Amino acid sequence: MTESTELHTLVTLTFYHLKLAVITRPEMEIGRYHWMYRSSRPHRYHHVPAVRGNVSPLGIQGCFECCIKCLGGVPYASLVATILCFSGVALFCGCGHVALTGTVSILEQHFSTTASDHALLSEVIQLMQYVIYGIASFFFLYGIILLAEGFYTTSAVKELHGEFKTTACGRCISGMFVFLTYVLGVAWLGVFGFSAVPVFMFYNIWSTCEVIKSLQINMTVPGDQICVDIRQYGIIPWNAVPGKACGPILENICNTNEFYMSYHLFIVACAGAGATVIALIHFLMILSSNWAYLKDASKMQAYQDIKAKEEQELQDIQSRSKEQLNSYT
């Protein structure tokens, strides 16, 4: 009875061990190899074929492969958006600063000869120039930060199965950038609309000068009756002297270098503001996509942790069953 009981216990433990054993794919490949080549020696070496390129037989990557890998981790979308943002902000700030200076000079010389009449306007323009300095500095730093965030997110997605781990803080920072970029995009829409106002004013003056020139050629109506009154735009008070320019005086204003440069610089500044709006919209799409990638990466990491824990528990069960089986045998 004792021998039959031990034999029954041994058979039961063997069946339990086979039931718990999990054969992985590498083990299956090794078993298939030994089954097909039973006469092969365990320490038999084979000739390693030559590998093309800069990759060595040991799998070490060369310079070309390393460069390709590094280029694969560059966030090209964020890079294009950063270049567009820098270009737009530089055009808006640089051209806008020079155009505002030329506008003050034109007003002082032709439309408001008394300094007290345009004192408030001069202070506002000076304040706007200081604001331009701040905008340029802020967006220079903000663009670099967004580009760095693009590199961070790209690395998180590319190396999801490696040692890199996305954190809740990283996802929170990405979400904060999405909100901040949205607010800045709405604000720059207002800046773009505001920058179109001086373009409209200068265009009206320029078109009036063209009308005066055409009337002088056709000799239909005297050009002295056609005037431009700057006071109606509200930038100088109604008691400003002279406040308006008519006929040949207006034509001379349009022919000055200050008017020509200010008009075209305001156009370029408006285009730069539009380019900045497009860049911020591009950034907003990129940040939203990156935030979704990080969210999926965090879920994948949680799944991998659970899977690794289950595999470890299964290995522990296998090792305990082997130990019990060895003890009985």
Side-chain angles (χ1 to χ4, degrees), residues 122-243:
S122 299
E123 294 178 359
V124 171
I125 290 178
Q126 187 177 7
L127 179 62
M128 292 175 62
Q129 290 177 340
Y130 285 118
V131 170
I132 285 175
Y133 297 148
I135 290 174
S137 303
F138 171 77
F139 271 91
F140 178 75
L141 295 176
Y142 189 68
I144 293 177
I145 291 173
L146 291 183
L147 183 61
E149 199 272 342
F151 275 101
Y152 161 78
T153 310
T154 304
S155 300
V157 176
K158 296 287 185 181
E159 302 179 10
L160 177 61
H161 300 282
E163 298 180 355
F164 190 91
K165 297 292 184 181
T166 58
T167 60
C169 181
R171 297 191 297 272
C172 181
I173 292 175
S174 297
M176 182 190 67
F177 281 142
V178 172
F179 175 75
L180 183 58
T181 305
Y182 177 79
V183 174
L184 291 175
V186 174
W188 268 95
L189 282 175
V191 173
F192 175 67
F194 179 76
S195 63
V197 174
V199 176
F200 174 74
M201 293 171 55
F202 274 84
Y203 174 76
N204 286 339
I205 298 174
W206 175 80
S207 60
T208 305
C209 292
E210 293 297 321
V211 171
I212 295 174
K213 292 179 181 179
S214 63
L215 290 178
Q216 291 177 356
I217 295 174
N218 297 328
M219 299 297 294
T220 55
V221 180
D224 297 338
Q225 297 180 2
I226 300 176
C227 303
V228 171
D229 194 347
I230 298 298
R231 295 172 296 185
Q232 63 182 349
Y233 295 108
I235 58 177
I236 57 175
W238 281 101
N239 57 357
V241 179

Side-chain angles (χ1 to χ4, degrees), residues 253-274:
I253 294 174
C254 295
N255 292 329
T256 59
N257 291 329
E258 293 176 350
F259 179 86
Y260 180 82
M261 289 296 297
S262 299
Y263 178 38
H264 290 84
L265 287 175
F266 272 124
I267 294 175
V268 176
C270 184

Side-chain angles (χ1 to χ4, degrees), residues 61-121:
Q61 294 182 347
C63 273
F64 180 75
E65 283 73 17
C66 291
C67 291
I68 294 297
K69 184 178 180 180
C70 292
L71 291 176
V74 175
Y76 293 101
S78 298
L79 185 62
V80 171
T82 303
I83 295 174
L84 184 60
C85 181
F86 283 171
S87 302
V89 172
L91 289 176
F92 174 78
C93 294
C95 297
H97 185 277
V98 179
L100 287 174
T101 304
T103 302
V104 173
S105 178
I106 293 173
L107 289 174
E108 291 178 350
Q109 295 178 8
H110 304 286
F111 294 97
S112 180
T113 56
T114 305
S116 59
D117 293 338
H118 58 270
L120 180 61
L121 178 63

